[in-house]
Amino acid sequence: MVPKRLLLQIHRWSGLAAALLILLQAGTGALLVFRTGLAELVDPAGMIRRSAAGAAPLSRVFDAARARYPGYGVDKIVFPQTGQGVYLVHLLDPRGASRYVSVDPGTADVSRAGEIWAFPAEAILQVHYRLLTGRPGLALMMLSGLALLVMAATGLSYWWPKRGRLKKSLMVDTRLPGKVVLRQVHRTLGVACAASAVFSATTGLVVAGEFILAPGPLVPFTASAEPVRGDLDMALAQARTAYPGRSIRDVRLRQADALDVFFWAPEASPHAVHRVRVDLAGARVLEVTPATRAGTLWMTLLPIHSGDMFGRLGSLVILFGALGLVTLAATGPIVWLLSRRRQ
């Protein structure tokens, strides 16, 4: 048996070391539960279409983004995910600088353009995923997940009550001094959130581990600024023949002569996609990779991690679990500071 004093010390110092990262991870995770709706809510001018109807060709969307930032190449174009959504275009210059442009899907007019901070929902996603960096940021996020698992294990072991004392061990006595009440709230909330924390940390670690071990750069450094060697609209039409009627998540132009089109594959999982690669010059399909043959874990685990696999109820459970972790990451250091002050 590990002495309780040692369990408390491990729990305390793991929490203090990772408090800021856990606060970031849990806070951004809570905001991402309803990411699409959040983007449209906080930035209606940039993320909600102004045109009442119409569908501009992809080539006009591409040209509108490139015209806003000459010398930048288009990395990917994220398609509207709701009826009132817009295209979100990610561009890169030869030095690796990023710019984003939102484009109205009806008129191909630019709604907003700028760095990532001009698009709050995208910034939140990149902070949650990799701290706006590459592998170093992803590695730090993985360390916060490991710290969370350590804290869940040591916290529960330290708290575990004797037979018949469960109810008393979870009580919060508001008649006691404030610092004692805060410590009891932290303890009880920690017990309540332990299962959710282990679930989120474990699934997140597996997904992050797959990305960090993947060969090649985690994110693209540059995109081709050369003129497209072919007809984008014809290439997209050819890609649609592979999965007619399917919605598109995004298209990517990381090669000047090829277009990768990613179609949603809800039959596999809420985040799964089929990939179709099209030769731009000849407008012919080069390769079709169904979601079931993608050979990736994230398509299965990411919707579990986000709660999307279980519908609205699953999303709400993840949301409340994330909010609980935010509270724990904030109250833990305060409890420690108050105890140090008393000593």
Side-chain angles (χ1 to χ4, degrees):
M1 294 290 291
V2 180
K4 282 209 165 189
R5 181 178 178 82
L6 179 58
L7 288 171
L8 180 60
Q9 288 178 340
I10 295 173
H11 180 84
R12 176 186 295 148
W13 294 113
S14 297
L16 290 173
L20 182 58
L21 285 175
I22 291 173
L23 191 62
L24 274 175
Q25 193 79 331
T28 53
L31 292 171
L32 289 173
V33 171
F34 301 106
R35 175 190 169 200
T36 302
L38 174 69
E40 295 176 355
L41 177 65
V42 301
D43 185 19
M47 300 305 292
I48 294 181
R49 66 183 293 165
R50 300 172 187 175
S51 58
L58 181 65
S59 57
R60 286 184 57 196
V61 175
F62 177 89
D63 291 341
R66 285 284 297 271
R68 180 55 62 98
Y69 291 108
Y72 279 70
V74 172
D75 171 43
K76 67 176 178 179
I77 303 174
V78 180
F79 276 52
Q81 301 303 308
T82 68
Q84 61 181 5
V86 296
Y87 288 100
L88 183 62
V89 186
H90 179 214
L91 302 101
L92 292 165
D93 77 353
R95 297 169 298 174
S98 290
R99 293 294 183 271
Y100 291 84
V101 179
S102 60
V103 181
D104 188 288
T107 62
D109 292 333
V110 172
S111 300
R112 184 180 300 284
E115 298 183 11
I116 193 170
W117 303 112
F119 298 87
E122 187 66 24
I124 290 168
L125 175 66
Q126 296 303 328
V127 169
H128 183 80
Y129 171 36
R130 53 185 175 85
L131 289 177
L132 295 171
T133 63
R135 280 186 169 81
L138 184 56
L140 280 175
M141 286 307 193
M142 292 182 71
L143 287 175
S144 73
L146 289 171
L148 192 55
L149 290 176
V150 170
M151 285 187 291
T154 54
L156 281 176
S157 299
Y158 180 81
W159 160 82
W160 202 264
K162 295 179 180 179
R163 186 185 300 272
R165 297 178 61 86
L166 177 61
K167 184 177 179 181
K168 186 176 181 180
S169 70
L170 293 173
M171 287 180 60
V172 176
D173 190 346
T174 57
R175 298 169 297 178
L176 296 173
K179 57 190 176 184
V180 179
V181 172
L182 183 63
R183 186 166 64 247
Q184 290 180 344
V185 168
H186 182 82
R187 172 208 62 199
T188 302
L189 185 59
V191 173
C193 292
S196 174
V198 170
F199 175 82
S200 295
T202 303
T203 53
L205 280 169
V206 175
V207 171
E210 182 177 39
F211 281 116
I212 207 168
L213 293 174
L218 187 63
V219 291
F221 297 124
T222 61
S224 174
E226 299 177 13
V228 175
R229 303 171 189 169
D231 189 323
L232 276 176
D233 301 319
M234 187 175 295
L236 182 62
Q238 284 299 313
R240 288 186 187 277
T241 62
Y243 294 100
R246 291 297 182 91
S247 298
I248 296 174
R249 185 191 69 180
D250 60 64
V251 301
R252 307 189 182 195
L253 295 97
R254 293 179 180 171
Q255 295 175 303
D257 57 353
L259 180 73
D260 284 335
V261 184
F262 293 87
F263 294 88
W264 287 113
E267 70 279 6
S269 83
H271 289 210
V273 286
H274 306 299
R275 190 192 75 174
V276 179
R277 174 163 290 179
V278 184
D279 172 49
L280 283 171
R284 59 189 179 86
V285 174
L286 297 174
E287 183 182 0
V288 177
T289 307
T292 53
R293 293 213 324 260
T296 58
L297 286 171
W298 71 262
M299 286 192 191
T300 300
L301 289 179
L302 189 57
I304 298 174
H305 178 75
S306 66
D308 292 335
M309 183 69 79
F310 311 106
R312 183 58 59 91
L313 179 60
S315 297
L316 289 174
V317 170
I318 295 298
L319 173 62
F320 287 117
L323 292 175
L325 287 177
V326 168
T327 305
L328 290 169
T331 57
I334 295 173
V335 169
W336 176 76
L337 286 171
L338 290 174
S339 68
R340 295 288 294 178
R341 182 180 178 186
R342 183 175 69 251
Q343 292 173 9

